[in-house]
Amino acid sequence: MTDQKPVEKQEYNITVYTENQVGLLNRIAIIFSRRKLNIESFNSSPSEIEGIHRFNIVIHETEEVVRKIAGQIEKQVEVLKVYYHTNEDVIWQEMALYKVPTDVIAEKAVVERLLRENGARAVVIRKDYTVFETTGHREETDNLIKVLQPFGLIEFVRSARIAIIKDSEGFNRKLREFEKKEPGHEVVENEFLNNRDKVFTM
Amino acid sequence: MLTKEKQAPELLEETKPITGAEALIMGLLEEGVDTIFGYPGGAIMPIYDALYDYREKLNHVLVRHEQGGIHAGQGYARSSGKVGVVFATSGPGATNLITGLADALIDSTPLVCITGQVFAHLLGTDAFQEADVISITTPVTKWNHQVTDASEICDTLAKAFHIARSGRPGPVLIDITKNAQLQKFDFKGYTCCDHIRSYRPKPIVRKEYIEQAADLINQAQKPFVLWGQGVILGAAEKEFKAFIEKTGIPAAWTIMGAGALPSDHPQNVGMLGMHGNYGPNVMTNECDVLIAIGMRFDDRVTGRLDKYAKQAKVIHLDIDPSEISKNVTATVPVWGDCKETLPLLTALVEEKKHTEWLEKFNEYEQKEVEAVIQDELFPASGELTMGEVIQQLNELTQGEAIIVTDVGQHQMVACRYAKLNHTRSNITSGGLGTMGFALPAAIGAKFGAQDRTVVAVIGDGGFQMTLQELGTIMQSGVDVKILILNNQFLGMVRQWQELFHERRYSFVDITSPNFVTVASGYGIAGRSISERDDLKGALEQMLNHKGSFLLEVMVTKENNVFPMVPQGCSVSEIRLK
Ligand SMILES: Cc1ncc(C[n+]2csc(CCOP(=O)(O)OP(=O)(O)O)c2C)c(N)n1
């Protein structure tokens, strides 16, 4: 039954659980680039289980496209599970760092209040510059750029998005059972790269 | 004798230090490999050295180009149902495999390719003959892996075979650095792999979908089956036939599925797609339930998707869940291996005969015979047609031969008209459409099915892409019948230029060498004919010849393959002329 899905594009959060495997990042990235799809945000990190990685990928697309992409990702040998969710279905955060001249900040008391209002905190305070950090949604981290621009913003960087799925009991239990039943292998890395001068080759 | 007799793997003590290269050979033997297609080089020399001790057990076929090696591996896999094994060296050896990998991936052909790589400490330094093979092959392999330590070789090989042949089969590649091949380690024997924790070769069969599918089939007035290579890959020919015969549903095939049901089966209504038969294409837009079995709705089959089978409920049986509703939305998605799902479905469907509905296909066939087939197979004009050559071949081989085709008009003609009594008899490059495929694939096919006659049908263009493999035939003594259908054009491109580019024949006029002389240079017998009177005799001569034989048939220059669904048209807009 051809149920009509909404065709509008929106942001989707794709969550991918994978083995910790060299080269897998490339395999996943290719699935997007091959279809000429732009990735809005891409985060890869170890999960709560050793040896299992978690990717958070944000893409602005129709559900139809996202469903197919998720299917292609899940098909990869080293991928354990793929989920996709709209923004309403996840809790998500991005972190941003802001570098500003310390003297300006020190002089202008207003700044302190602005920072507090934006939930920012100082990470590093040096004579020449200070680095603030804040975490939140795009609008929030964007807003602080605007706030700090007049005070001589030197540098700004924002992380990829990380997201937790609201619904369900999550994947943690399944992952743990899974790892207990079938412990993963250690990743074999190239241990010879540093021995360049010591090895004779033909 | 130079052979150092080695102990068979089963006689080895608990552990024994051997090199990574030796471990690889042990593994191949344990996997039941008997034939390897390959080409040596510096970075894979330790493996070739280890192979030397086992050359009685492992038949290595020295090809003339790595592309030939991998197509031969594909031909072997397709004719035998086993995994094809291919060796190549680093850098240029490995990059020469790319076309074959892409071809095998899209046509789901199980292959294990082993490439040599530079020493691990040289990786990433632009060392001599270094290429980033893992990155280059990632999009064209089902899985690939680089090994930098000998102790990793056995597990990786076992994993590779499991991945290549299970689920939806495909090519895998293992890149082994030279130090890993040379390094000694404690070999504890080889264990085959049948499980990888993050890999589900087949989805779990869901009973409710089988039931829903059976319901739809039982209610259908005009059901229609489309089958593809999935039936062959799943070795489900018997189960498929049982389903077809119980339900009485007419069934049409994609070129990758050809042969799974014999050509003359009364419910086999022909070929689908761009150059398929008239009836099956038109009726796709008339049926009420479309049952797709192990096929992936390629655009060459569907034509315009927005006008494809819109009236029908679609039941899609596939082992690869990502194929279901990829191109055509499925009403009922039957996930699973059709070897498992078909019997479950057959048990639930009612026994029926769709006589009237089947008769409609026959009516369309009659129309097609009159408009196209009669003239193609029994032409009135003086010049030979491709179709009549295939027709004559059918009469002589009685549908018993394996037909390997290249890409172009001759491919479509051969697929349309070749009579196939058995499964695994039609070997062609379906998804990628690789010219140059047929000659090496035929060599591989013969190694994979040594008691069968293998006929390669090739165009004058495609033959010149990999004709160096005549050298492989010469040296290995393999018996392959080579049938060149020479129309002195890159025919299929010329046909498109004629139909869609106002006959502007831009660079399709191809000059050929004297093929018979070329073959004779390789010690291969041959003959060239252009007269109808010589056709039967020449084909008989080719088929009866002991060993390989090249027969060139000069065919009419500007013949077109019809029917045709022009690109961008719906399947029911199929043209008879
Ligand atoms: C490697 C490769 N290059 C180009 C093409 C495009 N192509 C498809 S069919 C064809 C013509 C084939 O000519 P020929 O081998 O003489 O066979 P014919 O069509 O005349 O039977 C070409 C060039 C292709 N399929 N593969």
Side-chain angles (χ1 to χ4, degrees), chain B residues 67 99 386 406-411 432-436 458-463 465 485-494 508 510:
Chain B
Q67 185 185 354
T99 304
M386 290 186 181
D406 211 73
V407 171
Q409 291 184 314
H410 64 281
Q411 175 191 33
L432 201 67
T434 305
M435 280 172 77
I458 319 182
D460 44 326
F463 185 69
M465 282 209 172
L485 300 182
N486 188 346
N487 55 4
Q488 301 167 62
F489 269 121
L490 298 175
M492 188 56 98
V493 180
R494 188 211 53 77
V508 286
I510 187 168

Side-chain angles (χ1 to χ4, degrees), chain B residues 14-30:
Chain B
E14 269 293 283
T15 66
K16 183 178 169 198
I18 63 172
T19 66
E22 285 171 309
L24 181 88
I25 303 295
M26 300 289 190
L28 293 174
L29 287 170
E30 287 284 312

Side-chain angles (χ1 to χ4, degrees), chain B residues 187-213:
Chain B
F187 178 67
K188 297 191 184 73
Y190 181 87
T191 322
C192 291
C193 167
D194 60 6
H195 174 77
I196 297 166
R197 72 169 187 175
S198 56
Y199 172 57
R200 301 276 165 278
K202 11 180 154 172
I204 293 164
V205 177
R206 302 197 185 177
K207 259 189 82 189
E208 69 265 32
Y209 287 145
I210 305 268
E211 284 161 5
Q212 287 170 22

Side-chain angles (χ1 to χ4, degrees), chain B residues 182-244:
Chain B
L182 291 167
Q183 184 192 344
K184 287 202 169 188
F185 75 109
D186 277 339
F187 178 67
K188 297 191 184 73
Y190 181 87
T191 322
C192 291
C193 167
D194 60 6
H195 174 77
I196 297 166
R197 72 169 187 175
S198 56
Y199 172 57
R200 301 276 165 278
K202 11 180 154 172
I204 293 164
V205 177
R206 302 197 185 177
K207 259 189 82 189
E208 69 265 32
Y209 287 145
I210 305 268
E211 284 161 5
Q212 287 170 22
D215 271 355
L216 278 184
I217 293 171
N218 289 337
Q219 285 161 31
Q221 298 304 308
K222 298 193 226 166
F224 184 27
V225 164
L226 318 179
W227 91 83
Q229 197 196 194
V231 174
I232 299 169
L233 292 170
E237 294 88 349
K238 257 182 32 206
E239 291 80 359
F240 176 63
K241 191 157 174 267
F243 170 75
I244 291 293

